[in-house]
Amino acid sequence: ILDRVALPSRGALWALVVQDHYVEIVTERGRTLVLMRLGDAIREAGATPGVQIHRSHWVALAAVSRVVKADGKAAVELPDGRRLGISRGYMDAARAAGLLA
């Protein structure tokens, strides 16, 4: 997936986030929008350990700074402070990945 990112923005993969018909590839050095499906982007992430936490979000486990819980909802926080919500349908996957107790 990082081959799709411009050289100045290449770095460790943090997250894949859907925006309309695009996937935002978030790295430690920047963000890039690519026209593709999230499932294809996750497959291209290959060996990077990660988990889909929402129908529109996938995160690399190494990029999760912390898990935030408020009002019965959970979210992961990335090193840049961005928060991505964990939807109820993906709670089991988040637990299996060690994000939730």
Side-chain angles (χ1 to χ4, degrees), residues 24-65:
E24 179 183 30
I25 303 167
V26 182
T27 71
E28 65 184 338
R29 300 178 81 200
R31 301 166 191 212
T32 302
L33 282 176
V34 178
L35 181 62
M36 67 187 310
R37 295 180 307 191
L38 180 60
D40 294 337
I42 292 170
R43 275 189 288 287
E44 285 190 23
T48 304
V51 63
Q52 188 168 357
I53 58 169
H54 186 277
R55 66 183 172 97
S56 300
H57 309 312
W58 174 94
V59 294
L61 296 177
V64 176
S65 295

Side-chain angles (χ1 to χ4, degrees), residues 21 42 50 58 69 87 91 95 98:
H21 295 288
I42 292 170
W58 174 94
K69 295 181 184 178
S87 68
M91 287 288 185
R95 278 189 196 93

